[in-house]
Structures are given as structure tokens and as C-alpha cells.
């Protein structure tokens, strides 16, 4: 464990300038997102519906969730076949509470 920490400390001290530049670039690229309102794009509602669909699928006992019953005017939609739902499980679980 100490060896790993020493390697990390060595990397951070050797590449301090590069890491500072990367942090500044990251902050500048995400600056438009640091505001008091949510940036709504073209497919904002679609992806929120995907989170809701994963939530409903988990509650119904389906895993992995591939078909969303809340989309397409309740005719269902297979967005899980085209888009990965890997990153949607955590927001869906948080939405349950």
C-alpha cells in the first residue's frame, strides 16, 4: 500500500505543471455548465425518460432493462438495445428513494 502511495506521490510531483494545465482546461471547458439553471439540449427529455424507464424496469424486476415501457406513448421503446444503460442504473436507483 505504501509503495502504491509513493508511486502516486511521485507521479503527482513530477507532473505538477501538466496536471495544473489539465485542470484549468477542464474547468474552462465545463465553465458554461457552472450556472444556476440546467442546460437543456435537444434530447434532454429522451434521456430523462431513459432514467425513468430503467427505474420502472428495476421496480418491475427486469434486469438488465432493455425495453422502456414509459416511452413512445406507452407503446414501449427498445432504447436499451441502441444505447448503453450502464451509467443510468445509479441515477435510477437514486430516483427510487
Amino acid at each position: 500500500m505504501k509503495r502504491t502511495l509513493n508511486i502516486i506521490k511521485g507521479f503527482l510531483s513530477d507532473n505538477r505543471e501538466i496536471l495544473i494545465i489539465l485542470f484549468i482546461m477542464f474547468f474552462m471547458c465545463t465553465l458554461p455548465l457552472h450556472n444556476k439553471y440546467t442546460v437543456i439540449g435537444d434530447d434532454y427529455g429522451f434521456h430523462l425518460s431513459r432514467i425513468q424507464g430503467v427505474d420502472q424496469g428495476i421496480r418491475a424486476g427486469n434486469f438488465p432493462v432493455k425495453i422502456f415501457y414509459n416511452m413512445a406513448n406507452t407503446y414501449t421503446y427498445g432504447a436499451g438495445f441502441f444505447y448503453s444503460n450502464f451509467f443510468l442504473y445509479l441515477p435510477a436507483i437514486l430516483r427510487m428513494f
Side-chain angles (χ1 to χ4, degrees):
M1 184 71 176
K2 282 190 168 190
R3 181 173 182 238
T4 305
L5 290 175
N6 288 336
I7 291 171
I8 292 171
K9 285 180 184 179
F11 177 79
L12 293 176
S13 64
D14 292 343
N15 299 311
R16 184 177 305 258
E17 295 84 12
I18 293 172
L19 293 173
I20 290 172
I21 291 170
L22 286 174
F23 178 76
I24 291 170
M25 288 174 55
F26 172 78
F27 182 76
M28 290 177 64
C29 289
T30 60
L31 196 58
L33 301 175
H34 299 271
N35 53 32
K36 294 181 181 179
Y37 57 91
T38 304
V39 178
I40 298 176
D42 294 335
D43 54 356
Y44 181 75
F46 171 73
H47 293 294
L48 286 179
S49 294
R50 289 179 57 215
I51 293 171
Q52 182 180 0
V54 170
D55 173 34
Q56 290 175 352
I58 292 173
R59 288 176 193 250
N62 299 331
F63 186 81
V65 180
K66 293 292 183 186
I67 298 176
F68 302 121
Y69 299 101
N70 64 323
M71 298 178 82
N73 200 18
T74 66
Y75 285 109
T76 71
Y77 186 69
F81 296 115
F82 308 112
Y83 294 99
S84 173
N85 295 331
F86 180 75
F87 294 108
L88 298 181
Y89 285 104
L90 179 61
I93 291 170
L94 291 175
R95 190 175 186 283
M96 289 180 179
F97 301 104

